[in-house]
Amino acid sequence: MQALHAAAHATRVTATDVNPRALHITALTLALSGAPAADLREGSLYAPVADDETYDLIVSNPPFVISPGARLTYRDGGMSGDDLCRTLVQQTGERLNEGGFAHFLANWQHVEGEDWTDRLRSWVPRGCDAWIVQREVQDVTQYAELWLRDAGDHRGDPAAYQARYDAWLDEFEARKVKAVGFGWITLRRTGAAEPSVVAEEWPHPIEQPLGETVRAHFDRVDYLRSHDDAALLEAHFTLAGEVVQEQVGLPGAEDPEHVVLRQNRGMRRATRVDTVGAGFAGVCDGTMSAGRILDAIAQLVGEDPVALRDRTPAQIRLLVEQGFLEPA
């Protein structure tokens, strides 16, 4: 399926798989769909790819299930713990052309005494920006039960089911794994001196497909990396489409207790802002610079404009980073 989607917009597609039957079905699917043939290679991950072959886009839905052994090829990676996903991510940097993207679904371990974001950050290859989004977390019992049911083991011999269940939990206990995270990892090859690595948890509903949202995230990374606070104050911004404001407070009160900006597109984020942030976002239509808007707000609320200019760029930077504001 990944090869079929890629064939719709790529001039050259290389697909690898350890299962020759999967490669045969891929060739058949491409032919039946009228898509160009792909270069199909048997082998694990990048093993069938020469060292000097690089790509503009790499995508994978790997066998990411963290399981004892490799009983089912389509889902079990056959490496210890989450090593297959780690290996895939770490080996990708040298396979990407400058500005190229890689996008993976993955599972990762939540290990006792270790922050999961630190674990994932250590996977990111040198010279790559990364956006890591954790969509779901399951404790080890839920995780084992999910994949045992996926294999149909719950319909078989109860003793065999119990033995497999115990094997999963014993494996997790031996590695001090308390839970398993699921989400996506996106990499982009960059020449920046300080690559951006964002790791976040977002279990809430999102708009799909997310292709343009992913590209926009990295465009904002580039923008913010090239604009210090002084440059932000000189810049012009517009409020992103389909952003609404929600206010909560006592009826008749002069000011709300809190104000929330909420997106109805893309990641559908929500962020709490203060009165200045809400007022700033509300008048961003691209006609005035951020600094001039803050000067006007300072006059309205009776604040020192210099102090307001000093403390507000961090909030502007966050609103741009999360996609609420767009450079005009």
Side-chain angles (χ1 to χ4, degrees):
M1 188 59 70
Q2 301 289 352
L4 179 62
H5 282 299
H9 58 79
T11 57
R12 176 175 63 97
V13 176
T14 301
T16 71
D17 203 293
V18 296
N19 187 348
R21 184 169 179 267
L23 296 175
H24 173 73
I25 293 174
T26 299
L28 181 62
T29 300
L30 291 170
L32 291 174
S33 302
D39 181 2
L40 306 179
R41 305 181 189 180
E42 184 177 345
S44 178
L45 303 181
Y46 296 112
V49 180
D51 291 341
D52 60 349
E53 290 183 276
T54 56
Y55 300 89
D56 295 318
L57 175 65
I58 298 173
V59 293
S60 180
N61 181 8
F64 52 67
V65 176
I66 301 171
S67 58
R71 188 161 63 100
L72 300 173
T73 305
Y74 79 93
R75 70 172 201 191
D76 300 328
M79 297 185 185
S80 175
D82 52 16
D83 280 355
L84 183 131
C85 289
R86 176 186 58 80
T87 300
L88 174 62
V89 172
Q90 289 181 336
Q91 291 182 356
T92 294
E94 60 192 20
R95 304 291 182 179
L96 285 174
N97 294 325
E98 185 69 23
F101 285 87
H103 192 72
F104 310 125
L105 293 180
N107 275 183
W108 44 79
Q109 298 173 151
H110 284 228
V111 180
E112 184 178 349
E114 178 184 63
D115 190 305
W116 74 268
T117 62
D118 292 338
R119 183 181 191 84
L120 272 292
R121 287 173 185 275
S122 73
W123 292 7
V124 177
R126 187 173 301 174
C128 286
D129 292 326
W131 185 22
I132 301 161
V133 180
Q134 181 166 270
R135 297 286 293 149
E136 184 179 357
V137 180
Q138 291 186 321
D139 68 39
V140 291
T141 58
Q142 291 175 313
Y143 189 80
E145 290 164 7
L146 169 67
W147 293 109
L148 287 170
R149 290 182 65 85
D150 174 79
D153 292 325
H154 62 297
R155 297 192 182 95
D157 177 31
Y161 175 88
Q162 186 64 49
R164 288 195 173 116
Y165 185 80
D166 290 342
W168 282 64
L169 297 189
D170 289 345
E171 185 99 352
F172 284 132
E173 184 176 6
R175 292 196 298 268
K176 298 183 178 180
V177 177
K178 300 302 181 183
V180 176
F182 170 82
W184 75 70
I185 300 172
T186 305
L187 306 176
R188 183 186 61 170
R189 189 76 186 175
T190 179
E194 296 184 13
S196 165
V197 179
V198 176
E200 61 175 320
E201 185 166 14
W202 189 253
H204 311 294
I206 59 176
E207 180 187 33
Q208 297 191 53
L210 272 179
E212 289 306 313
T213 300
V214 171
R215 184 181 295 277
H217 167 87
F218 288 96
D219 288 344
R220 293 194 298 270
V221 166
D222 286 340
Y223 180 85
L224 292 173
R225 190 154 45 200
S226 63
H227 287 69
D228 59 15
D229 287 354
L232 283 182
L233 292 175
E234 293 297 321
H236 295 235
F237 299 96
T238 59
L239 189 65
E242 298 194 37
V243 172
V244 298
Q245 177 178 302
E246 300 173 357
Q247 297 184 178
V248 176
L250 294 174
E254 184 175 346
D255 295 312
E257 293 179 14
H258 65 260
V259 180
V260 172
L261 299 180
R262 188 178 302 277
Q263 300 167 346
N264 287 311
R265 300 294 306 275
M267 293 292 287
R268 293 177 174 163
R269 297 185 187 277
T271 188
R272 186 170 176 174
V273 292
D274 60 17
T275 303
V276 170
F280 180 88
V283 298
C284 277
D285 59 4
T287 59
M288 296 174 61
S289 70
R292 287 187 61 195
I293 293 174
L294 291 178
D295 291 344
I297 292 175
Q299 188 173 8
L300 285 172
V301 300
E303 280 203 41
D304 178 3
V306 175
L308 194 60
R309 278 175 172 255
D310 284 343
R311 69 177 175 85
T312 307
Q315 189 169 189
I316 297 174
R317 189 171 293 274
L318 179 63
L319 292 175
V320 173
E321 178 184 325
Q322 295 188 344
F324 289 93
L325 294 179
E326 298 175 347

